[in-house]
Amino acid sequence: MIIGIDKLDFYIPNFYVSMTDLAKARQIEPEKFTIGIGQTKMAVNPVSQDIISMGVNAAQNMLTEEDKKDIEMVVVATESGVDHSKAASIEIHSMLNIQPFARCIEMKEACYSATAAIQLAKDFLSNRPDKKVLVIASDIARYGLNSGGEPTQGAGAVAMLISHNPRILTLNDDSVAHTTNVYDFWRPTSEKYPVVDGALSKDAYIDSFNTLWNEYTKRTKYGLNDFESFCFHVPFTKMGQKAFKTILSENVEDSTKNRLMDAYQDSVNYNRDVGNIYTGSLYLSLISLLENHEFQDDQKICLFSYGSGAVGEIFSGSLVPGYEKMLDKERHLDMLKSRKELTVEEYEHFFNRFDNGEFDLEQELTQDPYTKVYLDSIEGHIRN
Ligand code: HMG
């Protein structure tokens, strides 16, 4: 049975702040953010873009009327939920006009849950040959102004259509997951921002990757040369690189190291200009890789998914010949390039208005061809 990613797209809100400006405003050497952390720009969402509107904006372009009839389940993976009870996917299902006899759920495990959603979709489709599942990873990474995590914020959504006979990436039956109880990053329900032990979070990420890579290679007998490239969860571009380097040891040939490191750079092109989008980060990285790296038919990509707390998973996908036709590089580059730059003061204003729920659409809804859906207001706890 061949199941995998048939379509994928993303949406990043229309505003960003430069990491150099942010560093200067915080009296930090800009190189710490641009080189040490490896980020150039940070996406900033206006009050009118939350996980639901971003999810719709990510998915709406890629879905045909036929897809909407075939989608039997909508899963939203997020850690920025807007309701403790109602799944964000219900509103997304409604706004996208997906046929009514569909399941809608929301999944949570920090940045990992989009991978759980994809694996669930794969199992769900195994006895439904004509059906499809829409997976949306949508998040707003917020640590607070002047906080240690501030340079690793971001916002955005990735949408993926999972189906039989996919046209982009076949999901192979080789996934290995690993869970360990660690307090590296978490957000108790009473808290607006996450509690983070930054140094521990970096170590926990690397430990998860190393443990999984050992187990994965033992079970599958695969090695580095079985893959054209690797894709990582990217809280910041230096993080994946740091973890990757731990397995590119002295025993690995220089040509392999260089090939894989070059591909890694292609995989973080978009993330470098966006920041952390939590559940969507790995899949934004996958889009970046597919749109910026030259592959040959059938090559394999190894993916490492990680969510603090912590759950990690390594799995692989095989490229489907002709996958390029399913991508939209020009539109994606234009979406990222045409964003408006905010001063640090404006970014702080946006940040505080989001916390206070102050809608000011005139300022936010400037000419933006990529933002089709936005949150207008919330009245009596009902979203409009
Ligand atoms: P920090 O304490 O501000 O920075 O925290 P640092 O001291 O760790 O420095 C960062 C890097 O910049 C270091 O490089 C410095 O050497 C370097 P490293 O030693 O790590 O290779 N540096 C410089 N480089 C060049 N020129 C300079 C300079 N100065 C310093 N002048 C941290 C940084 C990322 C920890 C913080 O921002 C944070 O807590 N962020 C949030 C947590 C996070 O992103 N953790 C990542 C792993 S956990 C994860 O991925 C899960 C997550 O996505 C959540 C989820 O699952 O839901 C976060």
Side-chain angles (χ1 to χ4, degrees), residues 186-199:
W186 69 108
R187 181 152 75 91
T189 46
S190 57
E191 300 300 306
K192 204 158 40 176
Y193 308 129
V195 188
V196 195
D197 181 336

Side-chain angles (χ1 to χ4, degrees), residues 68-73 93 98-104 124 131:
K68 293 178 188 183
K69 284 190 195 120
D70 294 342
I71 291 173
E72 195 94 331
M73 180 158 71
H93 166 270
I98 290 167
Q99 64 86 16
F101 298 98
R103 268 183 204 163
C104 281
F124 177 86
K131 299 301 178 192

Side-chain angles (χ1 to χ4, degrees), residues 178-321:
H178 177 253
T179 298
T180 179
N181 189 6
V182 51
Y183 277 92
D184 59 333
F185 165 110
W186 69 108
R187 181 152 75 91
T189 46
S190 57
E191 300 300 306
K192 204 158 40 176
Y193 308 129
V195 188
V196 195
D197 181 336
L200 177 63
S201 77
K202 291 196 279 189
D203 289 347
Y205 178 113
I206 293 173
D207 283 351
S208 173
F209 176 64
N210 288 156
T211 306
L212 278 164
W213 178 247
N214 280 339
E215 187 65 19
Y216 179 80
T217 49
K218 217 186 288 167
R219 289 191 195 182
T220 60
K221 313 274 181 264
Y222 291 149
L224 290 170
N225 281 322
D226 287 298
F227 300 103
E228 170 58 17
S229 57
F230 281 61
C231 254
F232 287 77
H233 163 55
V234 186
F236 48 95
T237 68
K238 246 329 188 26
M239 188 68 244
Q241 185 178 318
K242 247 176 163 353
F244 204 7
K245 279 190 170 162
T246 62
I247 62 163
L248 299 179
S249 63
E250 288 142 28
N251 307 333
V252 178
E253 279 181 14
D254 280 348
S255 57
T256 303
K257 279 187 207 168
N258 294 341
R259 177 177 66 76
L260 291 172
M261 265 305 154
D262 285 351
Y264 178 78
Q265 294 310 328
D266 294 335
S267 79
V268 295
N269 248 345
Y270 296 169
N271 306 67
R272 192 187 304 284
D273 282 345
V274 168
N276 195 354
I277 58 168
Y278 288 160
T279 50
S281 291
L282 168 63
Y283 299 97
L284 180 65
S285 171
L286 175 63
I287 299 175
S288 179
L289 178 72
L290 296 176
E291 294 187 345
N292 293 290
H293 188 76
E294 257 181 53
F295 286 97
Q296 276 148 31
D297 284 354
D298 299 330
Q299 280 182 328
K300 279 215 295 265
I301 300 171
C302 183
L303 296 101
F304 170 59
S305 180
Y306 178 77
S308 285
V311 181
E313 185 161 329
I314 289 190
F315 60 107
S316 78
S318 299
L319 276 173
V320 179

